[in-house]
């Protein structure tokens, strides 16, 4: 059902997915689905305010410790929370702790806003995702349970065929392309009760001929050198790609058209 509600503010909480990697702008900053969603909401509501507390690489513990209380204090109409997926990709992951921290976050955020939005995050087709799929699905089952308990909206990106298509993922194989982020923004827009602008966001693009064996091997080698090995190095040394980085948009301020 589409009700076209009016919301005056949005706060986004999470990691690189919500920060907007890899929807790269000409000035080398990232846009992403949350910025795109804010632009649509701002177009409907004069004085619309937006904050994005997301920082790449954050685990659910860091999201709870660093972002949840500030987000709850802002009293926004809509809060989006996406977290825990980085935990599931770690070699050692205490899923009971992840579920407990996610529950803590939801219990704080749900009463602070008019509508809490949770997500079943998208997953790219491939052997890496298949290896961690049981953990991911355990996380998403927890998301569903918490949403039912606290009246949150769940956006099912994991079940969308279009978002598993490798063509919608960047060369790092961890982050969506600009088109992927556009589809996520559409999915959240519809989940909030707005009339669709793209009724086929979940439908895969027409099939194309896959790259040949040689091109795939070149891409695999580039991926390993530029992304996989640095990622493993950070895991071994306890570092994160988000270390020292501030939140993307730490204050709940009037939306700036320059974000569009």
């Amino acid at each position: 059902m589409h009700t076209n509600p009016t919301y005056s503010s949005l706060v986004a909480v999470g990691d690189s997915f919500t920060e907007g990697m890899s929807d790269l702008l000409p000035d080398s900053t990232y846009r992403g689905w949350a910025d795109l969603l804010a632009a649509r909401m701002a177009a409907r509501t004069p004085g619309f305010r937006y904050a994005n507390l997301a920082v790449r690489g954050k685990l659910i513990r860091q999201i709870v410790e660093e972002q949840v209380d500030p987000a709850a204090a802002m009293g926004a109409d809509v809060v989006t929370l996406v977290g825990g997926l980085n935990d599931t990709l770690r070699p050692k992951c205490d899923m009971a702790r992840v579920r407990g921290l996610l529950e803590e976050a939801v219990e704080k955020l749900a009463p602070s806003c008019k509508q809490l939005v949770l997500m079943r995050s998208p997953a790219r087709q491939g052997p890496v995702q298949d290896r961690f799929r049981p953990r991911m699905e355990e996380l998403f089952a927890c998301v569903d349970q918490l949403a039912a308990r606290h009246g949150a909206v769940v956006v099912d990106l994991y079940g969308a065929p279009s978002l598993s298509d490798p063509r919608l993922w960047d060369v790092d194989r961890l982050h969506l392309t600009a088109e992927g982020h556009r589809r996520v923004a559409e999915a959240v827009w519809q989940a909030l009760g707005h009339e669709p602008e793209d009724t086929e966001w979940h439908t895969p693009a027409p099939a194309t001929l896959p790259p040949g064996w040689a091109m795939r091997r070149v891409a695999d080698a580039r991926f390993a050198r530029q992304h996989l090995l640095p990622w493993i190095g950070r895991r071994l040394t306890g570092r994160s790609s988000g270390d020292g980085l501030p939140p993307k948009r730490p204050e709940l301020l009037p939306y700036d058209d320059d974000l569009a």
Side-chain angles (χ1 to χ4, degrees):
M1 180 182 295
H2 303 292
T3 58
N4 288 318
T6 298
Y7 296 113
S8 65
S9 51
L10 167 68
V11 175
V13 174
D15 51 33
S16 59
F17 174 66
T18 301
E19 184 184 344
M21 296 174 73
S22 292
D23 184 4
L24 190 65
L25 295 173
D27 64 357
S28 296
T29 62
Y30 294 108
R31 181 176 53 182
W33 65 266
D35 285 6
L36 294 169
L37 177 65
R40 290 195 191 186
M41 298 174 78
R44 298 178 59 92
T45 308
F48 181 84
R49 297 176 298 153
Y50 171 50
N52 189 325
L53 307 184
V55 178
R56 68 195 71 170
K58 294 299 183 182
L59 302 174
I60 188 62
R61 174 186 59 80
Q62 295 168 308
I63 292 173
V64 171
E65 291 177 352
E66 300 168 11
Q67 300 179 32
V68 167
D69 285 342
M74 291 177 181
D77 284 354
V78 177
V79 174
T80 65
L81 168 64
V82 188
L85 201 62
N86 283 336
D87 297 79
T88 69
L89 300 178
R90 297 297 177 100
K92 295 181 180 180
C93 175
D94 183 346
M95 285 304 299
R97 178 162 171 74
V98 170
R99 294 195 308 271
L101 287 165
L102 186 61
E103 181 176 9
E104 179 182 344
V106 170
E107 288 178 346
K108 289 183 177 181
L109 291 172
S112 76
C113 62
K114 292 182 179 178
Q115 184 61 67
L116 177 64
V117 177
L118 306 177
M119 296 188 198
R120 295 162 56 91
S121 303
R124 179 185 182 276
Q125 293 175 357
V128 174
Q129 283 70 22
D130 290 343
R131 176 184 175 186
F132 297 106
R133 199 170 298 277
R135 290 180 182 173
M136 296 166 61
E137 293 183 351
E138 182 178 348
L139 175 68
F140 300 153
C142 179
V143 166
D144 290 342
Q145 293 165 5
L146 291 171
R149 192 183 312 159
H150 294 277
V153 168
V154 177
V155 184
D156 185 13
L157 306 173
Y158 181 71
S162 64
L163 295 178
S164 66
D165 187 335
R167 292 173 295 176
L168 289 188
W169 293 77
D170 194 29
V171 293
D172 67 1
R173 305 181 184 181
L174 286 174
H175 300 105
L176 291 169
T177 62
E179 172 60 15
H181 280 282
R182 184 197 68 78
R183 292 182 184 232
V184 172
E186 177 67 33
V188 182
W189 174 257
Q190 293 183 27
L192 286 171
H194 296 293
E195 289 288 344
E197 295 186 11
D198 176 9
T199 59
E200 301 297 324
W201 71 266
H202 56 284
T203 302
T208 58
L209 288 175
W213 182 89
M215 290 185 63
R216 295 199 303 272
R217 297 296 77 77
V218 170
D220 289 344
R222 184 183 300 116
F223 162 71
R225 182 176 65 254
Q226 296 181 356
H227 302 287
L228 181 59
L229 292 177
W231 183 84
I232 292 173
R234 290 194 298 270
R235 298 293 78 76
L236 293 175
T237 56
R239 294 178 292 117
S240 166
S241 58
D243 287 348
L245 294 180
K248 181 176 184 178
R249 186 178 169 89
E251 298 181 71
L252 187 61
L253 297 173
Y255 177 83
D256 187 344
D257 287 338
D258 289 340
L259 290 173

